[in-house]
Amino acid sequence: MQFLKLTIPLIASILFLGCIAKSPKPPVALVQIKETPTPDTVTLQAAINELQILQIKLADGTNYKTYAHLLKNTVPVIENAKGDAKVLAAVESAFKGHQLALEFWQCDRLNGYQELHQCRGKALSAIFAKYPDMKAEATAAIQGTDLSTLSAKLDKDQVLQTIWEKTTADMEAARRTISINTSRK
């Protein structure tokens, strides 16, 4: 009787192991080998995704504090991005535009008319260096080149909106280029 008690579990385990050993395996020809993306593509795509998140938050309406926080969190992703020089240049250009927008927006947090326009003048100097077409439009519309005067007469929201349109264009160029590059592989 005791012999039967031991043989039943033994037979069951042998049958179970036999089933596992004979489980069907897919033929090698049917297994799809997925090409894993290169680390460069992954870091660039992460940077583009972060820029897209910024654009979405801006479209939804964000405040200065949230924008500053988002940019701060985006810095390491942009710094770690590597890969195709053209995509990387577009990503870095878009991010630099966001940084300039933040610097310009930050001026509103200062007290005093004089301090506000000096800060804006300094920020406009950097913005105009990056976007010469904005400078040409502003000086033509206001008929002046003094940055403090320009800053007093320019609409803050329009300046920010123009910068964000340019960052969107850079981000879209990066997204299209990386899409084309990955589809070729």
Side-chain angles (χ1 to χ4, degrees), residues 46-91:
I48 292 169
N49 291 344
E50 287 295 317
L51 291 171
Q52 287 176 319
I53 290 169
L54 277 170
Q55 295 303 129
I56 290 167
K57 294 290 184 179
L58 288 170
D60 289 345
T62 191
N63 60 29
Y64 169 82
K65 189 176 181 179
T66 303
Y67 187 57
H69 180 73
L70 288 169
L71 278 177
K72 181 181 175 188
N73 289 342
T74 304
V75 170
V77 178
I78 301 298
E79 287 176 347
N80 289 331
K82 293 174 180 44
D84 183 277
K86 189 174 181 181
V87 177
L88 191 57
V91 164

mmCIF file of all heavy atoms in Angstrom, residues 46-91:
data_model
loop_
_atom_site.group_PDB
_atom_site.id
_atom_site.type_symbol
_atom_site.label_atom_id
_atom_site.label_comp_id
_atom_site.label_asym_id
_atom_site.label_seq_id
_atom_site.Cartn_x
_atom_site.Cartn_y
_atom_site.Cartn_z
ATOM 1 N N ALA A 46 13.714 60.414 -26.490
ATOM 2 C CA ALA A 46 13.324 60.881 -25.154
ATOM 3 C C ALA A 46 13.359 62.406 -25.093
ATOM 4 O O ALA A 46 12.458 63.033 -24.513
ATOM 5 C CB ALA A 46 14.246 60.281 -24.096
ATOM 6 N N ALA A 47 14.367 63.006 -25.698
ATOM 7 C CA ALA A 47 14.462 64.466 -25.712
ATOM 8 C C ALA A 47 13.307 65.074 -26.503
ATOM 9 O O ALA A 47 12.702 66.067 -26.070
ATOM 10 C CB ALA A 47 15.803 64.895 -26.307
ATOM 11 N N ILE A 48 12.983 64.482 -27.639
ATOM 12 C CA ILE A 48 11.865 64.969 -28.446
ATOM 13 C C ILE A 48 10.557 64.827 -27.671
ATOM 14 O O ILE A 48 9.708 65.735 -27.670
ATOM 15 C CB ILE A 48 11.807 64.232 -29.798
ATOM 16 C CG1 ILE A 48 13.011 64.632 -30.649
ATOM 17 C CG2 ILE A 48 10.507 64.525 -30.531
ATOM 18 C CD1 ILE A 48 13.216 63.785 -31.892
ATOM 19 N N ASN A 49 10.391 63.717 -26.979
ATOM 20 C CA ASN A 49 9.184 63.516 -26.169
ATOM 21 C C ASN A 49 9.067 64.578 -25.089
ATOM 22 O O ASN A 49 7.970 65.090 -24.822
ATOM 23 C CB ASN A 49 9.173 62.123 -25.547
ATOM 24 C CG ASN A 49 8.974 61.031 -26.567
ATOM 25 O OD1 ASN A 49 8.554 61.280 -27.699
ATOM 26 N ND2 ASN A 49 9.290 59.808 -26.188
ATOM 27 N N GLU A 50 10.163 64.921 -24.451
ATOM 28 C CA GLU A 50 10.143 65.970 -23.420
ATOM 29 C C GLU A 50 9.745 67.315 -24.019
ATOM 30 O O GLU A 50 8.980 68.073 -23.417
ATOM 31 C CB GLU A 50 11.506 66.080 -22.727
ATOM 32 C CG GLU A 50 11.817 64.940 -21.790
ATOM 33 C CD GLU A 50 10.884 64.864 -20.597
ATOM 34 O OE1 GLU A 50 10.565 65.913 -19.993
ATOM 35 O OE2 GLU A 50 10.457 63.745 -20.263
ATOM 36 N N LEU A 51 10.262 67.610 -25.204
ATOM 37 C CA LEU A 51 9.896 68.860 -25.874
ATOM 38 C C LEU A 51 8.416 68.854 -26.248
ATOM 39 O O LEU A 51 7.743 69.891 -26.153
ATOM 40 C CB LEU A 51 10.767 69.075 -27.109
ATOM 41 C CG LEU A 51 12.241 69.374 -26.833
ATOM 42 C CD1 LEU A 51 13.038 69.353 -28.133
ATOM 43 C CD2 LEU A 51 12.409 70.705 -26.113
ATOM 44 N N GLN A 52 7.901 67.707 -26.656
ATOM 45 C CA GLN A 52 6.480 67.611 -26.979
ATOM 46 C C GLN A 52 5.626 67.835 -25.736
ATOM 47 O O GLN A 52 4.586 68.476 -25.809
ATOM 48 C CB GLN A 52 6.164 66.258 -27.613
ATOM 49 C CG GLN A 52 6.665 66.145 -29.031
ATOM 50 C CD GLN A 52 6.434 64.774 -29.644
ATOM 51 O OE1 GLN A 52 6.616 63.750 -28.989
ATOM 52 N NE2 GLN A 52 6.050 64.765 -30.912
ATOM 53 N N ILE A 53 6.066 67.312 -24.603
ATOM 54 C CA ILE A 53 5.340 67.530 -23.350
ATOM 55 C C ILE A 53 5.304 69.022 -23.027
ATOM 56 O O ILE A 53 4.262 69.553 -22.629
ATOM 57 C CB ILE A 53 5.970 66.719 -22.199
ATOM 58 C CG1 ILE A 53 5.699 65.229 -22.410
ATOM 59 C CG2 ILE A 53 5.453 67.180 -20.839
ATOM 60 C CD1 ILE A 53 6.487 64.312 -21.501
ATOM 61 N N LEU A 54 6.436 69.701 -23.210
ATOM 62 C CA LEU A 54 6.467 71.151 -22.995
ATOM 63 C C LEU A 54 5.450 71.855 -23.882
ATOM 64 O O LEU A 54 4.718 72.736 -23.430
ATOM 65 C CB LEU A 54 7.871 71.706 -23.282
ATOM 66 C CG LEU A 54 8.898 71.609 -22.187
ATOM 67 C CD1 LEU A 54 10.278 71.966 -22.728
ATOM 68 C CD2 LEU A 54 8.540 72.507 -21.028
ATOM 69 N N GLN A 55 5.409 71.483 -25.155
ATOM 70 C CA GLN A 55 4.485 72.115 -26.090
ATOM 71 C C GLN A 55 3.031 71.854 -25.679
ATOM 72 O O GLN A 55 2.194 72.746 -25.772
ATOM 73 C CB GLN A 55 4.728 71.612 -27.509
ATOM 74 C CG GLN A 55 6.059 71.985 -28.097
ATOM 75 C CD GLN A 55 6.341 73.477 -28.146
ATOM 76 O OE1 GLN A 55 7.386 73.911 -27.695
ATOM 77 N NE2 GLN A 55 5.450 74.264 -28.673
ATOM 78 N N ILE A 56 2.735 70.660 -25.232
ATOM 79 C CA ILE A 56 1.372 70.327 -24.805
ATOM 80 C C ILE A 56 0.987 71.161 -23.593
ATOM 81 O O ILE A 56 -0.112 71.720 -23.530
ATOM 82 C CB ILE A 56 1.243 68.816 -24.505
ATOM 83 C CG1 ILE A 56 1.335 68.017 -25.803
ATOM 84 C CG2 ILE A 56 -0.047 68.500 -23.754
ATOM 85 C CD1 ILE A 56 1.524 66.530 -25.619
ATOM 86 N N LYS A 57 1.895 71.257 -22.633
ATOM 87 C CA LYS A 57 1.619 72.053 -21.430
ATOM 88 C C LYS A 57 1.400 73.523 -21.797
ATOM 89 O O LYS A 57 0.540 74.188 -21.230
ATOM 90 C CB LYS A 57 2.764 71.931 -20.417
ATOM 91 C CG LYS A 57 2.923 70.558 -19.838
ATOM 92 C CD LYS A 57 1.776 70.216 -18.924
ATOM 93 C CE LYS A 57 2.022 68.860 -18.284
ATOM 94 N NZ LYS A 57 0.963 68.486 -17.373
ATOM 95 N N LEU A 58 2.182 74.021 -22.742
ATOM 96 C CA LEU A 58 2.009 75.410 -23.175
ATOM 97 C C LEU A 58 0.658 75.599 -23.861
ATOM 98 O O LEU A 58 -0.028 76.601 -23.634
ATOM 99 C CB LEU A 58 3.139 75.824 -24.117
ATOM 100 C CG LEU A 58 4.498 76.029 -23.455
ATOM 101 C CD1 LEU A 58 5.576 76.188 -24.520
ATOM 102 C CD2 LEU A 58 4.469 77.228 -22.531
ATOM 103 N N ALA A 59 0.275 74.647 -24.682
ATOM 104 C CA ALA A 59 -1.012 74.737 -25.378
ATOM 105 C C ALA A 59 -2.183 74.690 -24.400
ATOM 106 O O ALA A 59 -3.206 75.342 -24.617
ATOM 107 C CB ALA A 59 -1.132 73.618 -26.403
ATOM 108 N N ASP A 60 -1.996 73.928 -23.321
ATOM 109 C CA ASP A 60 -3.049 73.825 -22.312
ATOM 110 C C ASP A 60 -3.090 75.056 -21.406
ATOM 111 O O ASP A 60 -4.021 75.212 -20.627
ATOM 112 C CB ASP A 60 -2.859 72.575 -21.442
ATOM 113 C CG ASP A 60 -3.155 71.303 -22.210
ATOM 114 O OD1 ASP A 60 -3.776 71.380 -23.291
ATOM 115 O OD2 ASP A 60 -2.763 70.219 -21.731
ATOM 116 N N GLY A 61 -2.063 75.880 -21.492
ATOM 117 C CA GLY A 61 -1.990 77.075 -20.646
ATOM 118 C C GLY A 61 -1.272 76.752 -19.358
ATOM 119 O O GLY A 61 -1.802 76.059 -18.505
ATOM 120 N N THR A 62 -0.091 77.222 -19.243
ATOM 121 C CA THR A 62 0.710 76.949 -18.048
ATOM 122 C C THR A 62 1.165 78.274 -17.450
ATOM 123 O O THR A 62 1.142 79.310 -18.113
ATOM 124 C CB THR A 62 1.904 76.033 -18.389
ATOM 125 O OG1 THR A 62 2.500 75.586 -17.186
ATOM 126 C CG2 THR A 62 2.931 76.727 -19.246
ATOM 127 N N ASN A 63 1.583 78.222 -16.220
ATOM 128 C CA ASN A 63 2.088 79.435 -15.581
ATOM 129 C C ASN A 63 3.618 79.389 -15.527
ATOM 130 O O ASN A 63 4.231 78.383 -15.860
ATOM 131 C CB ASN A 63 1.496 79.607 -14.179
ATOM 132 C CG ASN A 63 1.814 78.453 -13.249
ATOM 133 O OD1 ASN A 63 2.841 77.798 -13.380
ATOM 134 N ND2 ASN A 63 0.933 78.196 -12.313
ATOM 135 N N TYR A 64 4.194 80.498 -15.108
ATOM 136 C CA TYR A 64 5.647 80.614 -15.080
ATOM 137 C C TYR A 64 6.279 79.520 -14.222
ATOM 138 O O TYR A 64 7.249 78.890 -14.630
ATOM 139 C CB TYR A 64 6.056 82.002 -14.551
ATOM 140 C CG TYR A 64 7.525 82.084 -14.257
ATOM 141 C CD1 TYR A 64 8.437 82.333 -15.275
ATOM 142 C CD2 TYR A 64 8.011 81.883 -12.967
ATOM 143 C CE1 TYR A 64 9.790 82.376 -15.023
ATOM 144 C CE2 TYR A 64 9.375 81.921 -12.707
ATOM 145 C CZ TYR A 64 10.252 82.171 -13.731
ATOM 146 O OH TYR A 64 11.598 82.207 -13.481
ATOM 147 N N LYS A 65 5.734 79.304 -13.046
ATOM 148 C CA LYS A 65 6.335 78.355 -12.106
ATOM 149 C C LYS A 65 6.343 76.932 -12.678
ATOM 150 O O LYS A 65 7.352 76.228 -12.596
ATOM 151 C CB LYS A 65 5.570 78.393 -10.784
ATOM 152 C CG LYS A 65 6.211 77.614 -9.676
ATOM 153 C CD LYS A 65 5.453 77.787 -8.374
ATOM 154 C CE LYS A 65 6.119 77.022 -7.270
ATOM 155 N NZ LYS A 65 5.426 77.185 -5.992
ATOM 156 N N THR A 66 5.243 76.516 -13.276
ATOM 157 C CA THR A 66 5.161 75.183 -13.869
ATOM 158 C C THR A 66 6.123 75.065 -15.048
ATOM 159 O O THR A 66 6.802 74.047 -15.210
ATOM 160 C CB THR A 66 3.719 74.886 -14.323
ATOM 161 O OG1 THR A 66 2.854 75.013 -13.191
ATOM 162 C CG2 THR A 66 3.592 73.496 -14.914
ATOM 163 N N TYR A 67 6.174 76.100 -15.862
ATOM 164 C CA TYR A 67 7.064 76.113 -17.020
ATOM 165 C C TYR A 67 8.517 75.984 -16.575
ATOM 166 O O TYR A 67 9.283 75.193 -17.128
ATOM 167 C CB TYR A 67 6.827 77.393 -17.820
ATOM 168 C CG TYR A 67 7.557 77.497 -19.133
ATOM 169 C CD1 TYR A 67 7.400 76.543 -20.127
ATOM 170 C CD2 TYR A 67 8.387 78.578 -19.400
ATOM 171 C CE1 TYR A 67 8.048 76.651 -21.350
ATOM 172 C CE2 TYR A 67 9.036 78.705 -20.617
ATOM 173 C CZ TYR A 67 8.861 77.735 -21.589
ATOM 174 O OH TYR A 67 9.508 77.845 -22.794
ATOM 175 N N ALA A 68 8.893 76.757 -15.555
ATOM 176 C CA ALA A 68 10.264 76.691 -15.024
ATOM 177 C C ALA A 68 10.567 75.291 -14.501
ATOM 178 O O ALA A 68 11.658 74.753 -14.738
ATOM 179 C CB ALA A 68 10.450 77.731 -13.925
ATOM 180 N N HIS A 69 9.606 74.688 -13.824
ATOM 181 C CA HIS A 69 9.798 73.338 -13.278
ATOM 182 C C HIS A 69 9.959 72.314 -14.403
ATOM 183 O O HIS A 69 10.844 71.441 -14.347
ATOM 184 C CB HIS A 69 8.608 72.972 -12.382
ATOM 185 C CG HIS A 69 8.703 71.611 -11.780
ATOM 186 N ND1 HIS A 69 9.582 71.307 -10.765
ATOM 187 C CD2 HIS A 69 8.033 70.464 -12.057
ATOM 188 C CE1 HIS A 69 9.455 70.026 -10.448
ATOM 189 N NE2 HIS A 69 8.521 69.500 -11.215
ATOM 190 N N LEU A 70 9.137 72.413 -15.425
ATOM 191 C CA LEU A 70 9.232 71.494 -16.564
ATOM 192 C C LEU A 70 10.586 71.621 -17.260
ATOM 193 O O LEU A 70 11.209 70.622 -17.622
ATOM 194 C CB LEU A 70 8.113 71.756 -17.568
ATOM 195 C CG LEU A 70 6.710 71.340 -17.143
ATOM 196 C CD1 LEU A 70 5.672 71.904 -18.105
ATOM 197 C CD2 LEU A 70 6.600 69.826 -17.061
ATOM 198 N N LEU A 71 11.044 72.849 -17.450
ATOM 199 C CA LEU A 71 12.346 73.050 -18.094
ATOM 200 C C LEU A 71 13.479 72.477 -17.252
ATOM 201 O O LEU A 71 14.398 71.863 -17.781
ATOM 202 C CB LEU A 71 12.602 74.536 -18.350
ATOM 203 C CG LEU A 71 11.960 75.104 -19.602
ATOM 204 C CD1 LEU A 71 12.236 76.597 -19.709
ATOM 205 C CD2 LEU A 71 12.441 74.410 -20.839
ATOM 206 N N LYS A 72 13.395 72.696 -15.961
ATOM 207 C CA LYS A 72 14.429 72.169 -15.069
ATOM 208 C C LYS A 72 14.497 70.643 -15.161
ATOM 209 O O LYS A 72 15.589 70.067 -15.198
ATOM 210 C CB LYS A 72 14.131 72.593 -13.626
ATOM 211 C CG LYS A 72 15.154 72.114 -12.631
ATOM 212 C CD LYS A 72 14.783 72.538 -11.225
ATOM 213 C CE LYS A 72 15.758 71.952 -10.236
ATOM 214 N NZ LYS A 72 15.336 72.179 -8.858
ATOM 215 N N ASN A 73 13.347 69.989 -15.240
ATOM 216 C CA ASN A 73 13.315 68.530 -15.340
ATOM 217 C C ASN A 73 13.752 68.030 -16.714
ATOM 218 O O ASN A 73 14.143 66.876 -16.864
ATOM 219 C CB ASN A 73 11.916 68.000 -15.028
ATOM 220 C CG ASN A 73 11.568 68.144 -13.561
ATOM 221 O OD1 ASN A 73 12.436 68.325 -12.716
ATOM 222 N ND2 ASN A 73 10.293 68.089 -13.262
ATOM 223 N N THR A 74 13.686 68.886 -17.715
ATOM 224 C CA THR A 74 14.049 68.510 -19.070
ATOM 225 C C THR A 74 15.557 68.609 -19.314
ATOM 226 O O THR A 74 16.087 67.936 -20.194
ATOM 227 C CB THR A 74 13.273 69.384 -20.080
ATOM 228 O OG1 THR A 74 11.873 69.243 -19.805
ATOM 229 C CG2 THR A 74 13.525 68.980 -21.505
ATOM 230 N N VAL A 75 16.250 69.414 -18.536
ATOM 231 C CA VAL A 75 17.690 69.635 -18.737
ATOM 232 C C VAL A 75 18.484 68.332 -18.842
ATOM 233 O O VAL A 75 19.230 68.148 -19.802
ATOM 234 C CB VAL A 75 18.281 70.559 -17.642
ATOM 235 C CG1 VAL A 75 19.794 70.591 -17.689
ATOM 236 C CG2 VAL A 75 17.726 71.961 -17.782
ATOM 237 N N PRO A 76 18.357 67.383 -17.891
ATOM 238 C CA PRO A 76 19.174 66.165 -17.996
ATOM 239 C C PRO A 76 18.866 65.339 -19.243
ATOM 240 O O PRO A 76 19.766 64.730 -19.823
ATOM 241 C CB PRO A 76 18.843 65.370 -16.731
ATOM 242 C CG PRO A 76 17.898 66.173 -15.937
ATOM 243 C CD PRO A 76 17.555 67.402 -16.682
ATOM 244 N N VAL A 77 17.621 65.339 -19.675
ATOM 245 C CA VAL A 77 17.248 64.560 -20.859
ATOM 246 C C VAL A 77 17.909 65.161 -22.101
ATOM 247 O O VAL A 77 18.450 64.442 -22.939
ATOM 248 C CB VAL A 77 15.711 64.514 -21.023
ATOM 249 C CG1 VAL A 77 15.313 63.760 -22.275
ATOM 250 C CG2 VAL A 77 15.061 63.886 -19.799
ATOM 251 N N ILE A 78 17.911 66.481 -22.183
ATOM 252 C CA ILE A 78 18.531 67.159 -23.323
ATOM 253 C C ILE A 78 20.042 66.970 -23.279
ATOM 254 O O ILE A 78 20.676 66.703 -24.301
ATOM 255 C CB ILE A 78 18.174 68.662 -23.338
ATOM 256 C CG1 ILE A 78 16.656 68.871 -23.410
ATOM 257 C CG2 ILE A 78 18.884 69.379 -24.473
ATOM 258 C CD1 ILE A 78 15.976 68.337 -24.638
ATOM 259 N N GLU A 79 20.634 67.083 -22.098
ATOM 260 C CA GLU A 79 22.083 66.924 -21.963
ATOM 261 C C GLU A 79 22.542 65.512 -22.319
ATOM 262 O O GLU A 79 23.656 65.323 -22.802
ATOM 263 C CB GLU A 79 22.532 67.277 -20.543
ATOM 264 C CG GLU A 79 22.487 68.758 -20.261
ATOM 265 C CD GLU A 79 22.837 69.103 -18.820
ATOM 266 O OE1 GLU A 79 22.882 68.185 -17.956
ATOM 267 O OE2 GLU A 79 23.061 70.291 -18.559
ATOM 268 N N ASN A 80 21.701 64.510 -22.081
ATOM 269 C CA ASN A 80 22.071 63.120 -22.354
ATOM 270 C C ASN A 80 21.784 62.693 -23.786
ATOM 271 O O ASN A 80 22.174 61.603 -24.191
ATOM 272 C CB ASN A 80 21.348 62.173 -21.390
ATOM 273 C CG ASN A 80 21.883 62.294 -19.984
ATOM 274 O OD1 ASN A 80 23.043 62.619 -19.772
ATOM 275 N ND2 ASN A 80 21.021 62.065 -19.010
ATOM 276 N N ALA A 81 21.094 63.527 -24.536
ATOM 277 C CA ALA A 81 20.747 63.170 -25.915
ATOM 278 C C ALA A 81 22.004 63.112 -26.778
ATOM 279 O O ALA A 81 22.856 63.994 -26.721
ATOM 280 C CB ALA A 81 19.755 64.177 -26.483
ATOM 281 N N LYS A 82 22.098 62.050 -27.543
ATOM 282 C CA LYS A 82 23.231 61.844 -28.443
ATOM 283 C C LYS A 82 22.703 61.246 -29.735
ATOM 284 O O LYS A 82 21.650 60.646 -29.755
ATOM 285 C CB LYS A 82 24.244 60.891 -27.815
ATOM 286 C CG LYS A 82 24.931 61.459 -26.598
ATOM 287 C CD LYS A 82 25.803 60.414 -25.935
ATOM 288 C CE LYS A 82 26.516 60.910 -24.721
ATOM 289 N NZ LYS A 82 25.764 61.695 -23.785
ATOM 290 N N GLY A 83 23.483 61.415 -30.788
ATOM 291 C CA GLY A 83 23.085 60.781 -32.033
ATOM 292 C C GLY A 83 23.239 61.695 -33.221
ATOM 293 O O GLY A 83 24.134 62.548 -33.255
ATOM 294 N N ASP A 84 22.345 61.535 -34.178
ATOM 295 C CA ASP A 84 22.353 62.267 -35.431
ATOM 296 C C ASP A 84 22.508 63.774 -35.167
ATOM 297 O O ASP A 84 21.732 64.378 -34.437
ATOM 298 C CB ASP A 84 21.049 61.991 -36.179
ATOM 299 C CG ASP A 84 21.002 62.666 -37.524
ATOM 300 O OD1 ASP A 84 20.662 63.865 -37.566
ATOM 301 O OD2 ASP A 84 21.315 62.001 -38.526
ATOM 302 N N ALA A 85 23.530 64.359 -35.770
ATOM 303 C CA ALA A 85 23.864 65.760 -35.521
ATOM 304 C C ALA A 85 22.730 66.707 -35.897
ATOM 305 O O ALA A 85 22.474 67.697 -35.198
ATOM 306 C CB ALA A 85 25.131 66.141 -36.280
ATOM 307 N N LYS A 86 22.036 66.407 -36.971
ATOM 308 C CA LYS A 86 20.950 67.276 -37.426
ATOM 309 C C LYS A 86 19.780 67.256 -36.431
ATOM 310 O O LYS A 86 19.223 68.304 -36.095
ATOM 311 C CB LYS A 86 20.486 66.822 -38.813
ATOM 312 C CG LYS A 86 19.524 67.744 -39.477
ATOM 313 C CD LYS A 86 19.238 67.277 -40.904
ATOM 314 C CE LYS A 86 18.270 68.211 -41.607
ATOM 315 N NZ LYS A 86 17.977 67.765 -42.959
ATOM 316 N N VAL A 87 19.433 66.084 -35.957
ATOM 317 C CA VAL A 87 18.339 65.953 -34.988
ATOM 318 C C VAL A 87 18.744 66.604 -33.673
ATOM 319 O O VAL A 87 17.969 67.350 -33.067
ATOM 320 C CB VAL A 87 17.971 64.467 -34.762
ATOM 321 C CG1 VAL A 87 16.889 64.328 -33.714
ATOM 322 C CG2 VAL A 87 17.544 63.817 -36.061
ATOM 323 N N LEU A 88 19.958 66.336 -33.251
ATOM 324 C CA LEU A 88 20.451 66.893 -32.000
ATOM 325 C C LEU A 88 20.475 68.414 -32.040
ATOM 326 O O LEU A 88 20.090 69.076 -31.068
ATOM 327 C CB LEU A 88 21.849 66.339 -31.702
ATOM 328 C CG LEU A 88 22.410 66.603 -30.319
ATOM 329 C CD1 LEU A 88 21.491 66.076 -29.231
ATOM 330 C CD2 LEU A 88 23.788 65.962 -30.189
ATOM 331 N N ALA A 89 20.887 68.993 -33.162
ATOM 332 C CA ALA A 89 20.912 70.447 -33.302
ATOM 333 C C ALA A 89 19.507 71.028 -33.198
ATOM 334 O O ALA A 89 19.296 72.062 -32.542
ATOM 335 C CB ALA A 89 21.555 70.837 -34.625
ATOM 336 N N ALA A 90 18.534 70.371 -33.798
ATOM 337 C CA ALA A 90 17.149 70.847 -33.726
ATOM 338 C C ALA A 90 16.603 70.741 -32.300
ATOM 339 O O ALA A 90 15.919 71.649 -31.817
ATOM 340 C CB ALA A 90 16.275 70.068 -34.697
ATOM 341 N N VAL A 91 16.922 69.651 -31.621
ATOM 342 C CA VAL A 91 16.481 69.467 -30.232
ATOM 343 C C VAL A 91 17.093 70.542 -29.345
ATOM 344 O O VAL A 91 16.404 71.183 -28.539
ATOM 345 C CB VAL A 91 16.858 68.051 -29.726
ATOM 346 C CG1 VAL A 91 16.773 67.949 -28.219
ATOM 347 C CG2 VAL A 91 15.986 67.004 -30.391
#
